[in-house]
Amino acid sequence: MNTRICILSLLMMFAATATAQEKETADSVALAADSLVRVLQSQVQELELQRIIMQEQLDKSGQSAREDSIQQANRVARIDSLRSITTGTPLIIDDDTLFVIYARKGGTLPEQRVEYARDKILSYGKRITLLVDSVYVFDSEYSTDIMVTDDVVLSITDTDALWQNTSRQDLAQRYSDIIRDKVQQLHDEFGLRQKLIGLVFVLTIIVVQALLIWLTNWLYRHWRLRLVRRLLRITQPLSIKTYEILPPHRQGILFLAALRLLRLLVIITQFIISIPLLFSVFPETKALTYTLLGYVWNPLKDIMTSVVGFVPNLFKIVIIVLCFRYTVKALRYLAAEIGSGRLKINGFYTDWAQPTFYIIRLLCYSFMFVMIWPLLPGSDSKVFEGVSVFIGLIISLGSSSIIGNIIAGMVITYMRPFHKGDFIRYGDTEGFVIEKTVLVTRLRTRKNEVITIPNSTLLSSQTSNFSFAAHNFGVIVHTKVTIGYDMKWSDIRALLIEAADKTPGLQKKPEPYVRITALDDFYVEYEINAYTRKAEALSDIYSTLHQNILDSFHKAGVEIMSPHIFAGRQNLDLQIPVIDQENK
C-alpha cells in the first residue's frame, strides 16, 4: 500500500510540474507521463517481486533454523542415550590415557583415528630435535585440525564436540594442549639432551663394571694361596674310623674349587646388575631391562613359589617315609628272629625268612612310592606322565629276562631244592652252592671253578642234591666192572665187597651189596653199591674205591680186562641164503 501511495504522490508532483510549465506541448507531456508511468509500474513490480522472494527466503530460513535446532536437539538426545553404553576408544601412550574418541570421521573408525594420532605423537615426540610450539590448531568450515608442523595429528568434528558437550574449537584447543604436553614429555625422554646424558651413564657403568671385575680377580689371585695355607694349618683329615674321606690336601683342592666358583658367581652377579642398568639408560631399550631381569627373576620366583607350595606335601612325604621306614625295620627284626631259629612258625622254614623279607620290603616300598607319587610337583603334568610311561615301557621290554630270573629265584627259594653249601649236580656240572641270589646261583666245582647259572635256566633243568640225600638216608656210591665168564660170580662179589669195606667214608651198615647188571656176549657186568653220608667227599671216595678194587683183583689174580673172542674163517662158504630166481 505504501508503494502505491508513493506512486500517486509522484504522479501528482509530475502533474503539478506540467501545469507550471504552461502546458507546453501537451501531447509530448502526455507521452512522457505515460512512459514514466510504465517505468514506475515496472519498478513497482520488481520491488514487489523482490519483497515476495525475500519473504519466502525469510520463511525458509526460519523453518530451516527451527529444523536445525530440532535436529541438534535430537542429536544431543541420541548422544546422551548412547553415552551410557558407548565406552569410546581411548588414546593411550605409555599407560597414560590422554583423551577418548567416540565418533567416526567419515568412513574412519574411532580406533583408526586413535591409532593414527598415537603414531604421529610418538613419531614427533621421539625425534632428536623438535620445537614444541609447532603444535597448533587450524580451524576450517567443517572441522578443526590439530597440527604438528605440516601434519594433521587429529581432526575434531562437530560430532566430537557434541560427545564432549562443548564446542568444536574449545575441544580442539583442549586436545591440542594435551598433545603438546605429551610431545614435550616424550621429547624430554628421547631428545638429544637425554641421549647425551645416557651415553655418559653408559660409559660410567662400563668403566665401573670393568673395575669391579679387575678388583674381583685381583682379590682372588692375592688371597687364594694365603687362605689355602691357613686352611691346611688348621684342618684335620675327615675320616670314618680308619678310612680318610678327605685328607688335608684334598680339602685344599676343594677349597680352591669353591673359591673359583665364588669368583665366578660374584662376576655373574655383577653382570646381572650392570647389564639391566645399561639397558635401562635409554627409553628405547628400557623394555629389555625387564626382559633380562625376568630371565633371572622369573625362574627364581617360580622355584621359590614351587618350594613354598611344596612344603605341605613335603611334610606328608616325610611322615609317609618315616612310617614305612620303621615298618621295614620291624619286618627286618622279625625276619632275623625267624632266620636264627629263635622264632618258629609252623610250616615256615628258616631259610624263607630273608627272601620273604625282601619281597615284603619291595611291596612296602612300592606302596610307599604309589602314595608319594601324587604329592610330587609336576606329577599330574602330561610330560611327567609321558616320561614315566616311556621309562616303564623300556624297563618292561628290556628286563624280561631279568624279571624271569627274579621269579625263578623266588620259586627256587620256596621250592628249597638246595641250600647254600650243598653239593649238587646241574646237568653235567657238579659243585658246591656258594651263593644264591634273586638272579643267579653260583657253584664251585671240585676244580675250584666258579660257575654262574641263571635261575630261570636252573629252574627249567634237573638238579640233584647230594648233600640232602646224604644227610637224610645216605648216598649210594656205585661203580661197575666187567669180568669174563671164566670167573665165578661169587668170587667177584666177594672181591668187590672186600674193596668197599676197605674204603674210608663208606658205611658198614647198611652193608655194601653187588648187583649183576648185564650179561653181555663176552663178559658179565658187576656193580658194587655202598652207602655214604659224606657227599662233599664223593670224588675222594670214588677214587679210593677204585684203587681198592684194583688191589683186590690184582691180589686175587683176576684179570679185569674183559676177553673178546673172534672166530677165524677157514674155507667156509658165505652164510647167505640162496635167492630163488623164479620168485625174483
Side-chain angles (χ1 to χ4, degrees):
M1 293 300 292
N2 292 331
T3 305
R4 293 177 180 178
I5 292 171
C6 290
I7 294 172
L8 290 176
S9 298
L10 291 172
L11 291 173
M12 290 176 67
M13 290 175 63
F14 280 115
T17 303
T19 303
Q21 293 177 356
E22 296 178 354
K23 296 181 181 179
E24 294 180 354
T25 60
D27 293 338
S28 60
V29 172
L31 291 173
D34 290 338
S35 64
L36 181 61
V37 169
R38 286 194 296 271
V39 171
L40 291 175
Q41 286 179 350
S42 64
Q43 291 179 353
V44 170
Q45 290 176 357
E46 290 178 359
L47 291 174
E48 184 66 21
L49 181 60
Q50 291 178 0
R51 186 188 65 79
I52 292 172
I53 292 173
M54 290 177 64
Q55 185 65 39
E56 289 179 355
Q57 290 179 352
L58 288 174
D59 293 340
K60 288 181 180 180
S61 63
Q63 183 178 358
S64 63
R66 287 192 298 273
E67 290 177 355
D68 291 341
S69 62
I70 293 172
Q71 291 178 358
Q72 184 75 6
N74 292 333
R75 196 180 301 171
V76 171
R78 287 198 302 270
I79 289 175
D80 290 338
S81 63
L82 292 173
R83 201 183 302 277
S84 60
I85 61 176
T86 303
T87 57
T89 304
L91 177 58
I92 302 174
I93 297 177
D94 295 337
D95 297 331
D96 183 15
T97 302
L98 303 184
F99 46 81
V100 180
I101 301 297
Y102 293 92
R104 289 171 174 256
K105 183 180 182 299
T108 306
L109 296 174
E111 293 81 2
Q112 296 172 340
R113 298 177 65 192
V114 166
E115 186 67 26
Y116 179 79
R118 181 188 297 111
D119 294 340
K120 287 295 182 182
I121 293 171
L122 290 175
S123 64
Y124 280 99
K126 293 182 179 182
R127 287 185 177 181
I128 299 297
T129 58
L130 178 70
L131 295 176
V132 182
D133 295 336
S134 59
V135 180
Y136 61 94
V137 175
F138 178 78
D139 193 13
S140 62
E141 183 178 358
Y142 299 105
S143 65
T144 302
D145 298 331
I146 301 174
M147 308 287 293
V148 179
T149 61
D150 295 333
D151 287 340
V152 177
V153 176
L154 183 64
S155 295
I156 305 299
T157 63
D158 292 330
T159 306
D160 295 326
L162 287 175
W163 275 97
Q164 301 295 338
N165 291 325
T166 185
S167 64
R168 188 180 70 194
Q169 290 75 16
D170 292 341
L171 183 61
Q173 188 61 45
R174 189 174 69 188
Y175 284 178
S176 175
D177 296 337
I178 294 174
I179 291 174
R180 183 182 294 107
D181 294 339
K182 192 61 183 179
V183 170
Q184 180 65 46
Q185 179 184 353
L186 291 173
H187 183 66
D188 292 340
E189 293 181 5
F190 295 90
L192 180 59
R193 180 174 176 273
Q194 187 65 30
K195 291 293 188 295
L196 295 176
I197 296 174
L199 288 175
V200 174
F201 276 108
V202 167
L203 293 176
T204 303
I205 292 172
I206 293 175
V207 171
V208 171
Q209 178 62 58
L211 290 175
L212 289 176
I213 293 176
W214 176 83
L215 180 62
T216 303
N217 291 327
W218 181 83
L219 290 174
Y220 171 74
R221 292 191 300 268
H222 186 70
W223 284 98
R224 61 173 181 173
L225 296 179
R226 297 183 182 182
L227 293 176
V228 169
R229 292 191 191 99
R230 292 183 181 181
L231 178 68
L232 294 177
R233 284 197 298 265
I234 63 175
T235 55
Q236 298 294 330
L238 181 61
S239 60
I240 297 177
K241 295 183 178 179
T242 59
Y243 175 69
E244 290 188 358
I245 300 176
L246 285 176
H249 70 280
R250 290 186 180 178
Q251 295 183 25
I253 294 173
L254 291 178
F255 185 72
L256 286 175
L259 285 179
R260 285 194 294 270
L261 180 61
L262 179 61
R263 181 190 63 169
L264 183 61
L265 290 178
V266 170
I267 294 175
I268 292 175
T269 305
Q270 293 171 4
F271 277 111
I272 290 175
I273 296 173
S274 62
I275 291 177
L277 288 176
L278 197 64
F279 282 102
S280 64
V281 170
F282 299 103
E284 294 88 350
T285 59
K286 187 177 292 184
L288 291 175
T289 302
Y290 301 102
T291 303
L292 294 174
L293 288 177
Y295 290 153
V296 179
W297 172 247
N298 289 336
L300 293 177
K301 184 181 69 174
D302 294 341
I303 291 172
M304 294 302 297
T305 303
S306 301
V307 169
V308 174
F310 182 64
V311 168
N313 290 340
L314 181 62
F315 282 109
K316 294 179 183 179
I317 292 174
V318 170
I319 293 174
I320 293 172
V321 170
L322 290 177
C323 292
F324 277 95
R325 179 181 179 185
Y326 286 104
T327 301
V328 170
K329 283 187 174 182
L331 292 174
R332 181 182 286 109
Y333 173 77
L334 184 63
E337 293 295 309
I338 296 175
S340 62
R342 289 189 292 270
L343 177 62
K344 295 183 179 180
I345 299 176
N346 293 332
F348 194 89
Y349 299 96
T350 57
D351 54 342
W352 287 359
Q354 288 301 320
T356 305
F357 165 71
Y358 294 145
I359 294 172
I360 296 177
R361 184 179 65 176
L362 177 62
L363 294 177
C364 288
Y365 285 150
S366 301
F367 187 62
M368 180 185 72
F369 180 74
V370 170
M371 294 179 66
I372 291 176
W373 181 274
L375 302 176
L376 296 176
S379 60
D380 54 346
S381 65
K382 298 298 182 182
V383 176
F384 203 80
E385 293 176 0
V387 171
S388 61
V389 171
F390 179 70
I391 294 174
L393 182 63
I394 291 177
I395 293 175
S396 61
L397 294 177
S399 61
S400 58
S401 59
I402 297 176
I403 300 299
N405 286 325
I406 292 175
I407 299 300
M410 295 171 57
V411 173
I412 289 173
T413 298
Y414 289 97
M415 285 177 57
R416 305 176 73 242
F418 50 82
H419 301 86
K420 185 177 179 180
D422 288 352
F423 183 74
I424 65 172
R425 175 187 294 163
Y426 161 71
D428 295 333
T429 303
E430 293 182 353
F432 297 92
V433 179
I434 59 175
E435 185 179 7
K436 286 175 58 180
T437 65
V438 294
L439 295 176
V440 297
T441 299
R442 289 185 173 85
L443 302 181
R444 179 178 60 83
T445 66
R446 299 186 186 277
K447 305 295 185 181
N448 285 334
E449 298 172 347
V450 177
I451 300 176
T452 301
I453 306 171
N455 285 334
S456 58
T457 305
L458 191 63
L459 182 64
S460 61
S461 303
Q462 181 180 354
T463 58
S464 301
N465 192 337
F466 296 105
S467 298
F468 179 81
H471 181 267
N472 289 277
F473 36 80
V475 176
I476 297 178
V477 177
H478 57 90
T479 188
K480 295 178 179 180
V481 294
T482 55
I483 307 298
Y485 284 96
D486 55 336
M487 300 299 299
K488 292 183 178 180
W489 68 268
S490 57
D491 296 337
I492 302 303
R493 176 179 177 277
L495 292 174
L496 290 174
I497 291 176
E498 178 185 356
D501 291 337
K502 293 180 180 180
T503 302
L506 295 179
Q507 293 182 328
K508 306 300 182 182
K509 298 293 183 179
E511 296 179 353
Y513 61 91
V514 177
R515 294 184 183 276
I516 299 175
T517 58
L519 298 175
D520 289 333
D521 292 339
F522 310 112
Y523 53 81
V524 179
E525 186 177 73
Y526 300 90
E527 182 184 69
I528 177 65
N529 297 271
Y531 289 88
T532 182
R533 293 188 179 274
K534 297 180 179 180
E536 68 279 1
L538 279 178
S539 59
D540 295 334
I541 293 174
Y542 270 106
S543 178
T544 305
L545 177 61
H546 292 159
Q547 293 175 8
N548 292 334
I549 290 174
L550 290 173
D551 292 339
S552 298
F553 276 61
H554 291 170
K555 186 178 180 179
V558 177
E559 184 181 16
I560 298 178
M561 182 180 66
S562 302
H564 284 63
I565 300 175
F566 297 92
R569 291 182 178 275
Q570 293 182 357
N571 300 324
L572 293 177
D573 295 333
L574 294 176
Q575 302 298 311
I576 298 175
V578 178
I579 298 176
D580 190 356
Q581 296 295 331
E582 293 179 359
N583 295 332
K584 183 177 179 181

